[in-house]
Amino acid sequence: MGAGDRPRAVSRPPTPNRREVALVTGAGGQVGHELQRVLAGRGWEAVAADHASLDLVSRDEVRALVHTVRPTVVFNAAAYTKVDDCETSAAQAFAVNALGVRHVAEACHETGAHLVHFSTDYVFDGTKTGPYVEWDSTNPLSVYGRSKLAGEVEAMAMGLGATVVRTSWVCGQVGHNIVRTLVAMAAALAEDPQRVLSFVVDQHGCPTMAGDLAETAIGLGIDRRPGLFHVTNQGPTTWHGFASEVVRLLGEDPARVRPVTTDELDPPRPAPRPANSVLEPAALRASGLPLPPPWIERLPALVTAIRES
């Protein structure tokens, strides 16, 4: 779509007598899906814009949509998230993850909407001993990480008191994630008892259930709380540890998940990953706000929901 094109129609279900309206960009993804569900449960009208209905890179489209909807809060969950592809598509990554955020922030400034923007653990280089807090220095290793850090800057550039939510290892009922992949492989694992899966054991982080992320982010947005917040489910692990637990919940032996190092991956991934991306929710704690529960308590429900969907 060109910069002068009119915005396409967005999904807006009939919601009579609702006082508040929220705009959700990236509505087709796993976070956007959960944002809509939680907002509806709170009595909000959620106007959904996915990548097919809104070109975030078009300033005209973004401004036209926000001015038309006049939302109280904009939840910007849209992003170019193909981490490895970003290494060879830097211009596209920055266009969506940085310039697109600038357009959303500008439109929020013009209409008085509060912006909640989602960012990532990839803004850190992973060299710190211990969890990262919101006030630690950033140093992204990849194009994706650099483009998302630029988006954080753009979200706050207008002096709007925007909320930036950093998260990690997101898993939900829709979209691409490790849980959905393993659930889809359940039959193959059962049919071939000799099959072994390999997951890295030297990348540490906190898995995040998309529903819990949405609950916390919506609370921050409704309260119009400004600044950076780390939001993940509690409990650090590795990709190997997380995959082993999913396999166990699928009724298979977790020993079938073989630990490997990042250097042993074949083929190697183009984009470097931070070895440590454990995010400590220091701002939530200091604010006296509730933390998402441990991921190991929430994972069984997600596995069940995906299997039954």
Side-chain angles (χ1 to χ4, degrees), residues 292-306:
W295 64 266
I296 202 162
E297 296 177 5
R298 305 292 278 169
L299 182 60
L302 177 61
V303 170
T304 299
I306 292 174

Side-chain angles (χ1 to χ4, degrees), residues 122-125 138-142 144-147 149:
Y122 279 54
V123 300
F124 296 113
D125 61 16
T138 53
N139 185 33
L141 301 174
S142 63
Y144 172 71
R146 291 195 290 275
S147 70
L149 180 59

Side-chain angles (χ1 to χ4, degrees), residues 20-24 30-46 72-77 114-118 163-165 209-225 229 231 284 289-290 292:
E20 303 287 358
V21 177
L23 173 62
V24 178
Q30 51 191 350
V31 177
H33 175 82
E34 292 297 329
L35 285 167
Q36 294 171 77
R37 180 186 64 80
V38 176
L39 284 164
R42 295 195 180 199
W44 280 55
E45 179 178 355
T72 302
V73 185
V74 175
F75 294 94
N76 184 41
H114 183 75
L115 172 60
V116 177
H117 173 66
F118 292 87
T163 304
V164 173
V165 174
M209 308 299 109
D212 292 325
L213 174 61
E215 288 277 5
T216 301
I218 288 170
L220 293 170
I222 290 174
D223 288 348
R224 302 178 79 94
R225 289 182 179 261
F229 290 87
V231 180
L284 286 177
L289 297 173

Side-chain angles (χ1 to χ4, degrees), residues 27 40-41 60-61 92 113 134 139 171 173 180 205 242 267 303:
D60 289 346
E61 285 197 26
Q92 183 177 359
E134 290 85 346
N139 185 33
C171 300
Q173 292 188 47
R180 285 182 57 82
F242 188 51
V303 170

Side-chain angles (χ1 to χ4, degrees), residues 104-184:
V104 176
E106 178 187 20
C108 288
H109 176 66
E110 292 171 343
T111 60
H114 183 75
L115 172 60
V116 177
H117 173 66
F118 292 87
S119 190
T120 174
D121 54 322
Y122 279 54
V123 300
F124 296 113
D125 61 16
T127 60
K128 181 183 178 181
T129 300
Y132 283 94
V133 300
E134 290 85 346
W135 299 279
D136 281 325
S137 298
T138 53
N139 185 33
L141 301 174
S142 63
V143 171
Y144 172 71
R146 291 195 290 275
S147 70
K148 291 296 289 182
L149 180 59
E152 292 185 5
V153 173
E154 295 292 349
M156 297 181 171
M158 302 267 176
L160 312 174
T163 304
V164 173
V165 174
R166 285 188 189 138
T167 191
S168 64
W169 299 19
V170 178
C171 300
Q173 292 188 47
V174 304
H176 299 289
N177 61 68
I178 183 177
V179 180
R180 285 182 57 82
T181 298
L182 289 172
V183 170

